[in-house]
Amino acid sequence: MLNDASGFASVIIAAGYTDMRRGIEGLATIIRYKYKLDPYQKNTLFLFCGKRSDRIKGLLWEGDGFLLLYKRLDVGAFRWPRSADEAMLITPEQYRMLMQGFEIVAKHPISEITPPSEIA
């Protein structure tokens, strides 16, 4: 279920570290008060990762109740963005990359360089 994001309206990840001992109420509280988002957004998947990068939790409001998802990889790890302490809306392509173990936030992003102005 977590490998395919086609059923979700949007996917939001909580960058940084999350205490993975939290359950539905604890994760919903993080969404509401730390990130100022509504955990009751229907078909919006919120993803969390702890210090161990081989496990993630997902929280999904289905309209009649919450669904708590937990995934533990046997081999490999998720390349979770750790530097920012904010919620990030990611694209379906970024979600697929994350589930395949690729990094979705570049450590050294490529930026456009503006040419120097002509010296007169």
Side-chain angles (χ1 to χ4, degrees):
M1 175 174 198
L2 277 178
N3 288 339
D4 182 22
S6 62
F8 307 123
S10 59
V11 178
I12 299 174
I13 62 171
Y17 300 102
T18 301
D19 183 359
M20 296 301 279
R21 296 173 292 180
R22 291 182 178 261
I24 291 172
E25 296 302 323
L27 295 175
T29 300
I30 290 173
I31 294 165
R32 180 171 298 267
Y33 295 109
K34 183 176 181 182
Y35 299 121
K36 308 291 189 245
L37 297 172
D38 183 14
Y40 293 96
Q41 295 177 34
K42 192 171 181 184
N43 294 326
T44 297
L45 177 64
F46 294 93
L47 290 175
F48 303 89
C49 187
K51 291 191 179 197
R52 296 186 65 166
S53 297
D54 64 340
R55 300 147 198 242
I56 60 171
K57 274 190 179 179
L59 188 65
L60 177 70
W61 174 253
E62 292 189 313
D64 60 352
F66 280 107
L67 178 63
L68 181 65
L69 305 164
Y70 183 79
K71 183 166 186 171
R72 184 187 74 204
L73 298 175
D74 284 334
V75 178
F78 296 103
R79 305 287 291 180
W80 202 260
R82 300 294 189 182
S83 59
D85 196 23
E86 59 186 22
M88 296 172 42
L89 177 66
I90 60 174
T91 65
E93 180 61 33
Q94 288 174 314
Y95 180 81
R96 281 190 290 282
M97 289 173 57
L98 182 68
M99 291 296 119
Q100 293 173 0
F102 293 108
E103 200 164 322
I104 61 171
V105 177
K107 289 182 182 175
H108 305 288
I110 299 170
S111 59
E112 186 175 335
I113 298 175
T114 57
S117 60
E118 295 289 327
I119 300 176

